[in-house]
C-alpha cells in the first residue's frame, strides 16, 4: 500500500481537501500509476457541484492526467513498470462489440462499474481516514498515485512533457476529434464554434488543420477572442451584440448557414442555435458540450427534413489506446498545439484555486 497526497471531495458543493490517502496495489488487469501532472476540467466541477446524477462521495476526481507506471497487476501485458502513460476515461478493450465497430469509440467493457465509482471487481483502491473513497471516471488523477484498469491506459512517447500532454486525456482530444473524426470537416468549408473555452479552441484547431476557409468563434466573453484567432478563428462574434437570434446572424453572414457547427458549452438552447445556424441541405452540427442531467434538446423537425444533420461526440471519437499515442506524436512533431492551451501552472495544493480560475473563465 502506498501512502500519498490526494485531493478528496468529501461532499458535493464543497471545495476538495488535500488529504493523505492509502492506495492499494493493483489487482489482476490493473495498473498503478504515479501521476506527474493533472489538469482540471468542467466535468470535474460538474460532479463536485452535486448536479451529476452518477456522482458518488467521498471521491477522488480528475481525468486529465499523465504519469509513470509504478506497478502492474497479474495478467497485464500492454504496459510495464516505468512506462509513460495517460489514463483514459473512455477505455479501449478491443473485444466488445463497440470496440470492434469502426463507427464508435465507446467501449462498454467496464462502463457499469466505472459509473459506480469502483474498479471492475466492484471495490475501491483508495482509503482515507478509515473510509473507502470512490474512483472517478475510471481515472482519479487528483492523486499522487492512482489505480486504473489495464484497458484504461495508453502508453506514450517517454520523451513527451507530462505537464503538457496530460491535456490529451480529455479536452484537447475531444475538440480536435469532434472536427476531424465526427464532423469530418472538409477543405474550404465554413465552420461555427460556440464556446471558446479549451474544447472550443481545440475544435478551431481541428477545423483549421482540416482546411476550413472560414471559422467563426462565438462567445459572450470577448476576452477569449484573441486566443481563438491565435488558434485559427477568422472572426469572432457575441450573441449579445445583435437583437436577432445568433442563428439568424450566422445564416446572414454565411449566405444560408455554415457547413459545420459545434456546441462546446453544454447549453441546450445553444445546441438548437448551432443546428439552426447550419446550411440547408448539408449542414452538420456536432454536440460536444455535456448538458446537465435531465435536459432535453428541441428544434422543428423541418430543420432535419431539409437536410441538416445533428450529431454528438464523446472524446472526439478517438479509439483511445490506439489514438492517444498518435496524438502525442502529432504534438511532438508540432502538428497540433498543446502549450498554447495552458494559462496557469499551479502546485497540487492550490487545486481549489485552479477551479476558481476555471469558473471565472481565466
Amino acid at each position: 500500500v502506498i501512502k500519498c497526497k490526494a485531493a478528496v471531495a468529501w461532499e458535493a458543493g464543497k471545495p476538495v481537501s488535500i488529504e493523505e490517502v492509502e492506495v492499494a496495489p493493483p489487482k489482476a488487469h490493473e495498473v498503478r500509476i504515479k501521476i506527474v501532472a493533472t489538469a482540471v476540467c468542467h466535468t470535474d466541477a460538474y460532479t463536485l457541484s452535486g448536479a451529476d446524477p452518477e456522482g458518488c462521495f467521498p471521491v477522488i476526481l480528475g481525468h486529465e492526467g499523465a504519469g509513470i507506471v509504478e506497478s502492474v497487476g497479474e495478467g497485464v501485458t500492454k504496459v510495464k513498470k516505468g512506462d509513460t502513460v495517460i489514463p483514459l476515461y473512455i477505455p479501449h478493450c478491443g473485444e466488445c462489440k463497440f470496440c470492434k465497430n469502426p463507427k464508435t469509440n465507446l467501449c462498454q467493457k467496464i462502463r457499469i462499474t466505472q459509473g459506480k465509482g469502483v474498479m471492475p471487481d466492484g471495490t475501491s483502491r483508495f482509503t482515507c481516514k478509515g473510509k473507502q473513497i470512490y474512483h472517478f471516471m475510471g481515472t482519479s488523477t487528483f492523486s499522487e498515485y492512482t489505480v486504473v484498469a489495464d484497458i484504461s491506459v495508453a502508453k506514450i512517447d517517454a520523451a513527451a512533457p507530462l505537464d503538457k500532454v496530460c491535456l490529451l486525456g480529455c479536452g484537447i482530444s475531444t475538440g480536435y476529434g469532434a472536427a476531424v473524426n465526427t464532423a469530418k470537416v472538409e477543405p474550404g468549408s465554413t465552420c461555427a464554434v460556440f464556446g471558446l473555452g479549451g474544447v472550443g479552441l481545440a475544435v478551431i484547431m481541428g477545423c483549421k488543420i482540416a482546411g476550413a476557409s472560414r471559422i467563426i468563434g462565438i462567445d459572450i466573453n470577448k476576452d477569449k477572442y484573441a486566443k481563438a484567432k491565435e488558434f485559427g478563428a477568422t472572426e469572432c462574434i457575441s450573441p449579445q451584440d445583435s437583437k436577432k437570434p445568433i442563428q439568424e446572424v450566422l445564416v446572414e453572414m454565411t449566405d444560408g448557414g455554415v457547413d459545420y457547427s459545434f456546441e462546446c458549452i453544454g447549453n441546450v438552447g445553444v445546441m438548437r442555435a448551432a443546428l439552426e445556424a447550419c446550411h440547408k441541405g448539408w449542414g452538420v452540427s456536432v454536440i460536444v458540450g455535456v448538458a446537465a442531467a435531465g435536459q432535453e434538446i428541441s428544434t422543428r423537425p423541418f430543420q432535419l427534413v431539409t437536410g441538416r444533420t445533428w450529431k454528438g461526440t464523446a472524446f472526439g471519437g478517438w479509439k483511445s489506446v490506439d489514438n492517444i499515442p498518435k496524438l502525442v506524436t502529432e504534438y511532438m512533431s508540432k502538428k497540433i498545439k498543446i502549450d498554447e492551451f495552458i494559462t496557469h501552472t499551479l502546485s497540487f495544493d492550490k487545486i481549489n484555486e485552479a477551479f476558481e480560475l476555471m469558473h471565472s473563465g481565466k
Side-chain angles (χ1 to χ4, degrees):
V1 174
I2 287 176
K3 287 186 178 181
C4 68
K5 274 195 252 173
V8 178
W10 289 105
E11 55 184 303
K14 296 272 173 74
V16 296
S17 66
I18 301 287
E19 305 279 3
E20 184 180 77
V21 297
E22 293 86 40
V23 184
K27 294 189 181 177
H29 295 288
E30 294 177 4
V31 178
R32 186 160 61 181
I33 303 166
K34 177 181 172 48
I35 296 289
V36 174
T38 185
V40 293
C41 170
H42 278 282
T43 311
D44 304 306
Y46 171 62
T47 299
L48 186 58
S49 74
D52 180 359
E54 264 200 350
C56 25
F57 295 88
V59 63
I60 295 172
L61 299 167
H63 63 285
E64 286 187 327
I68 312 286
V69 174
E70 177 274 332
S71 58
V72 300
E74 197 186 323
V76 176
T77 55
K78 299 248 173 85
V79 294
K80 62 185 186 307
K81 183 177 175 167
D83 282 350
T84 305
V85 293
I86 290 178
L88 309 165
Y89 74 89
I90 292 188
H92 182 189
C93 73
E95 294 164 359
C96 70
K97 68 179 179 182
F98 288 80
C99 282
K100 285 181 173 165
N101 190 322
K103 295 177 182 175
T104 184
N105 63 330
L106 297 176
C107 174
Q108 296 296 294
K109 183 89 179 269
I110 59 173
R111 177 74 203 97
I112 302 222
T113 48
Q114 182 171 315
K116 288 178 179 164
V118 289
M119 293 300 289
D121 73 345
T123 63
S124 167
R125 300 291 161 269
F126 297 120
T127 50
C128 181
K129 298 179 180 171
K131 288 197 178 102
Q132 174 184 289
I133 309 292
Y134 287 108
H135 292 250
F136 178 67
M137 288 174 76
T139 53
S140 289
T141 61
F142 292 173
S143 175
E144 290 177 329
Y145 287 86
T146 190
V147 179
V148 304
D150 63 353
I151 58 171
S152 303
V153 64
K155 182 182 171 181
I156 60 162
D157 183 345
L162 300 186
D163 60 331
K164 309 289 194 291
V165 297
C166 63
L167 291 177
L168 292 172
C170 178
I172 296 177
S173 306
T174 297
Y176 178 44
V180 299
N181 297 330
T182 310
K184 297 188 167 58
V185 170
E186 293 156 325
S189 56
T190 300
C191 303
V193 181
F194 291 78
L196 302 176
V199 174
L201 293 175
V203 171
I204 290 172
M205 177 175 76
C207 292
K208 186 181 178 183
I209 289 170
S213 61
R214 193 172 177 192
I215 304 168
I216 305 164
I218 300 124
D219 203 301
I220 55 176
N221 182 351
K222 294 185 177 179
D223 294 343
K224 299 197 167 183
Y225 293 179
K227 197 77 160 167
K229 286 177 178 167
E230 200 184 302
F231 276 87
T234 50
E235 64 224 274
C236 294
I237 57 173
S238 168
Q240 295 174 338
D241 285 351
S242 172
K243 291 204 166 66
K244 291 181 184 168
I246 187 68
Q247 52 266 57
E248 284 180 29
V249 174
L250 285 160
V251 165
E252 281 172 20
M253 280 173 69
T254 56
D255 184 29
V258 297
D259 302 311
Y260 301 98
S261 72
F262 301 86
E263 197 280 353
C264 308
I265 302 161
N267 177 312
V268 293
V270 178
M271 290 172 190
R272 177 174 190 160
L275 176 78
E276 295 177 0
C278 282
H279 202 289
K280 185 178 188 172
W282 63 77
V284 174
S285 187
V286 181
I287 295 173
V288 193
V290 179
Q295 295 197 324
E296 297 182 351
I297 48 172
S298 62
T299 190
R300 291 198 172 90
F302 197 65
Q303 290 283 336
L304 301 175
V305 171
T306 50
R308 293 170 193 81
T309 304
W310 221 345
K311 303 180 86 166
T313 188
F315 198 49
W318 302 107
K319 287 194 183 266
S320 57
V321 171
D322 290 349
N323 286 297
I324 293 310
K326 291 176 186 168
L327 291 178
V328 170
T329 304
E330 287 192 5
Y331 163 67
M332 302 289 276
S333 64
K334 298 195 164 39
K335 181 183 172 183
I336 61 171
K337 300 177 193 279
I338 295 183
D339 302 29
E340 294 82 353
F341 284 89
I342 299 167
T343 53
H344 297 76
T345 303
L346 302 166
S347 58
F348 187 33
D349 56 357
K350 295 205 168 88
I351 188 160
N352 286 308
E353 201 178 299
F355 275 103
E356 285 161 26
L357 287 162
M358 181 171 67
H359 287 308
S360 64
K362 292 177 181 159

